[in-house]
Amino acid sequence: TGASLPASLCVYGSCIMSSLPPSSSAISPSSAAPQRSVLVIDDSPEDLALLTEYLRHARLRIAVAFDGREGYQKASVMLPDLILLDVRMPRTDGFAACRLLKADPRTRDIPVIFLSGCNELDDRLQGLRLGAVDYISKPFAPEEVMARVNIHLDLRSRLVHQTVAVS
């Protein structure tokens, strides 16, 4: 409700700067659910700043990584509920990171949403074939990203509850 967020944000040892206020109408946090976590893997400080402000406002725990290898390592330790993953990054790109995530039994079931400027059909299809649950093109609308994040977090939560109920 109009609350401003800090100009700098440090999460899991990584700090980013931002001056962009979120639109509270785009976010509908779940008040009764335990705090869910999102790992954002992107090499763009501007995109990280914007995304983390929206995710934080939605009361999600946030971790950030600046390339695919660092993202895979953080995902293996923290086991986030969802990963937002850029494609084009230095050292280890998003496609390679997704392959690592999907090959690892600890991380293979974590939903991955590609968020990338690679907007060609072949790139989008490759991301989905690698196991991503969604693909959002840059430049992105933060409200759309949050809607998709909430959808996939809710789907994951239902799947986890169904698995527990069957066990």
Side-chain angles (χ1 to χ4, degrees):
T1 60
S4 66
L5 298 170
S8 68
L9 177 64
C10 295
V11 287
Y12 291 92
S14 301
C15 295
I16 57 174
M17 301 295 291
S18 177
S19 60
L20 300 169
S23 165
S24 60
S25 64
I27 303 166
S28 56
S30 175
S31 58
Q35 192 175 29
R36 299 180 287 186
S37 60
V38 176
L39 173 60
V40 184
I41 308 170
D42 198 319
D43 62 327
S44 165
E46 296 81 16
D47 289 342
L48 281 170
L50 182 60
L51 289 166
T52 56
E53 279 196 25
Y54 274 82
L55 294 166
R56 184 171 182 263
H57 190 70
R59 294 184 179 92
L60 296 168
R61 285 185 317 140
I62 308 154
V64 298
F66 299 97
D67 68 60
R69 174 62 65 180
E70 180 188 6
Y72 168 69
Q73 292 168 345
K74 284 188 178 186
S76 297
V77 172
M78 72 173 281
L79 302 175
D81 295 301
L82 184 131
I83 297 171
L84 290 172
L85 179 59
D86 188 15
V87 173
R88 299 270 156 81
M89 293 178 288
R91 296 196 308 250
T92 304
D93 72 16
F95 291 147
C98 191
R99 280 187 204 94
L100 290 169
L101 290 162
K102 296 306 173 181
D104 186 333
R106 296 170 298 165
T107 57
R108 71 173 163 224
D109 294 327
I110 299 170
V112 173
I113 299 176
F114 276 110
L115 187 66
S116 182
C118 300
N119 297 324
E120 297 297 319
L121 177 60
D122 288 342
D123 291 323
R124 295 190 316 262
L125 290 174
Q126 182 178 1
L128 295 170
R129 287 181 184 128
L130 288 172
V133 296
D134 211 337
Y135 196 108
I136 302 169
S137 297
K138 290 181 182 179
F140 56 84
E143 296 84 1
E144 177 185 8
V145 173
M146 289 310 303
R148 291 176 189 248
V149 163
N150 285 327
I151 287 167
H152 290 292
L153 284 172
D154 289 344
L155 288 171
R156 178 171 167 82
S157 179
R158 283 189 229 153
L159 181 63
V160 167
H161 288 6
Q162 286 175 354
T163 303
V164 169
V166 171
S167 298

